[in-house]
Amino acid sequence: MKRSNIMMIWKKYLLLILIIFPVLVFSQDTFKGGSKEKFDASKEKIAAQLDADEKEKLEVALRVLALSAIYDRDHQPALKKESFDELVRKRLNGRGLQEAYDMANQYVRADHQRKIAKLEQEMSGLDAKKRKSDALKAKLSVLKAKPLKVDSIHGQFVISCAFTNESDQVLKTYETVIGYGSTIDLNDGWSCIKAPDSGVVFAPKETKILTCAFSFGTVKENSNVIKWKEMKYPVSDFSSYNLAMDCYTSMLVINGQKYELKNEERLSAQEEEELAKFRKSLEDLKSNNPVLEDLIIKKP
């Protein structure tokens, strides 16, 4: 067969495909949104051509589009008077199955990004507080605190902490906090602020033992979590009794600059835990790129 004849045959095939293809596209079943009855009938017609899995996917897509309509109605005053099912019908009117899936996927992605933004906003306050707290702690850690033991002395609950001047300067102006709480909640306990006695200074690299004493009658009333009855003094293994030591430098003047970590600026153990959970949730969200299929319950 001559090459010219072959080319003519191919052109006829191409022309036939071009004629037929638009018909195939435009004859595709679409949703009719003019009324609930028309919509339900068109939906049933489309669903009749689907297998069980696709039918389930269609139902999930329609539920997602209903959520999308509810969200838009709540955030767009112009849509307040329309019911969410009316909005779904209008949005799907004249559209095919794949377009319905595309619209549902668009909402799934947008909703995912909103969740990320909301979580970032919720953790922003704690995050800023932690950055400020950590920066101050780094400055104050020049006078490093280390809890040593708790003891029972003359009916008093006595906490001993070692404070070490890790700088190369004499520290004259400082305040320390010595306290305790439970491993469940630091607020279960008590703390005291220790200012330097007149003329008492920290030489470079010097370590001093500072103490605070609390009435046993007071401390035992304040937390049922701490294992008071089991304690054998002196205690240095604090966690065995659900004790948590809270010793740190709260104010320090060095190089003529005053650094002070006020109690309300310091992250509590609960806030640290909450922030860690926020970060883990945010990491999980950002590592995920959800699609409509993820919402379909997998059958065993």
Side-chain angles (χ1 to χ4, degrees):
M1 186 180 291
K2 292 182 179 180
R3 179 179 177 83
S4 59
N5 290 338
I6 294 173
M7 293 300 295
M8 286 181 65
I9 292 172
W10 271 109
K11 286 179 181 179
K12 288 180 181 179
Y13 276 126
L14 289 172
L15 181 61
L16 185 61
I17 290 171
L18 290 172
I19 293 171
I20 294 173
F21 185 69
V23 174
L24 292 174
V25 172
F26 290 107
S27 65
Q28 179 188 17
D29 289 325
T30 60
F31 293 95
K32 310 300 180 187
S35 67
K36 183 180 185 305
E37 291 73 22
K38 289 182 179 180
F39 181 81
D40 289 343
S42 64
K43 172 191 164 185
E44 290 301 320
K45 187 177 180 182
I46 291 172
Q49 304 172 46
L50 306 177
D51 61 23
D53 289 340
E54 281 294 318
K55 285 179 180 178
E56 186 174 5
K57 182 178 177 180
L58 171 59
E59 290 301 323
V60 171
L62 291 175
R63 287 197 290 271
V64 168
L65 291 174
L67 290 173
S68 172
I70 292 171
Y71 177 86
D72 290 343
R73 191 182 61 176
D74 289 343
H75 292 82
Q76 298 179 35
L79 301 178
K80 290 288 185 184
K81 294 182 180 180
E82 297 193 59
S83 65
F84 70 85
D85 55 337
E86 287 175 330
L87 285 173
V88 172
R89 290 201 302 270
K90 286 183 179 180
R91 291 173 178 182
L92 284 178
N93 186 38
R95 298 181 184 274
L97 182 62
Q98 186 56 51
E99 289 176 295
Y101 290 161
D102 291 343
M103 290 170 66
N105 266 313
Q106 184 178 358
Y107 176 78
V108 168
R109 289 190 293 268
D111 187 59
H112 184 68
Q113 290 303 313
R114 282 192 292 268
K115 288 176 181 175
I116 290 175
K118 182 181 179 183
L119 192 56
E120 287 176 332
Q121 184 179 11
E122 287 176 346
M123 68 183 286
S124 62
L126 279 178
D127 213 20
K129 184 177 180 180
K130 179 171 175 57
R131 287 195 300 271
K132 183 177 181 180
S133 176
D134 287 351
L136 280 169
K137 283 180 181 178
K139 297 291 185 182
L140 295 168
S141 64
V142 168
L143 187 55
K144 186 176 180 180
K146 180 183 178 181
L148 297 178
K149 64 178 181 176
V150 295
D151 215 334
S152 174
I153 302 174
H154 304 305
Q156 298 280 302
F157 184 71
V158 181
I159 303 173
S160 299
C161 288
F163 285 84
T164 302
N165 177 9
E166 297 192 336
S167 76
D168 57 1
Q169 301 179 38
V170 175
L171 301 179
K172 300 178 181 179
T173 307
Y174 56 87
E175 283 183 354
T176 61
V177 174
I178 299 174
Y180 75 94
S182 75
T183 51
I184 303 299
D185 186 354
L186 274 174
N187 293 321
D188 280 347
W190 298 88
S191 63
C192 67
I193 297 175
K194 298 283 287 186
D197 295 328
S198 178
V200 177
V201 299
F202 273 89
K205 313 308 178 185
E206 180 183 10
T207 296
K208 293 182 185 294
I209 309 300
L210 304 181
T211 63
C212 265
F214 306 89
S215 162
F216 260 113
T218 301
V219 298
K220 289 184 178 180
E221 289 177 358
N222 206 50
S223 175
N224 295 322
V225 176
I226 297 171
K227 300 175 182 179
W228 299 111
K229 293 181 179 179
E230 299 177 22
M231 285 189 192
K232 295 180 180 180
Y233 301 96
V235 173
S236 57
D237 184 11
F238 310 116
S239 61
S240 295
Y241 302 97
N242 294 338
L243 267 174
M245 294 298 101
D246 197 26
C247 303
Y248 60 95
T249 302
S250 59
M251 186 275 287
L252 180 67
V253 175
I254 188 168
N255 294 323
Q257 179 70 45
K258 180 180 179 181
Y259 300 100
E260 184 174 13
L261 180 58
K262 297 177 182 177
N263 193 52
E264 64 270 16
E265 296 173 334
R266 184 170 177 256
L267 246 66
S268 67
Q270 287 71 35
E271 288 175 320
E272 291 274 11
E273 185 178 338
E274 185 178 0
L275 188 56
K277 288 179 180 178
F278 274 144
R279 285 179 174 160
K280 179 63 170 63
S281 297
L282 188 60
E283 181 183 336
D284 291 343
L285 281 173
K286 287 187 173 181
S287 66
N288 185 26
N289 187 24
V291 292
L292 180 63
E293 284 77 3
D294 294 334
L295 303 179
I296 299 173
I297 298 175
K298 303 295 189 294
K299 296 176 181 178

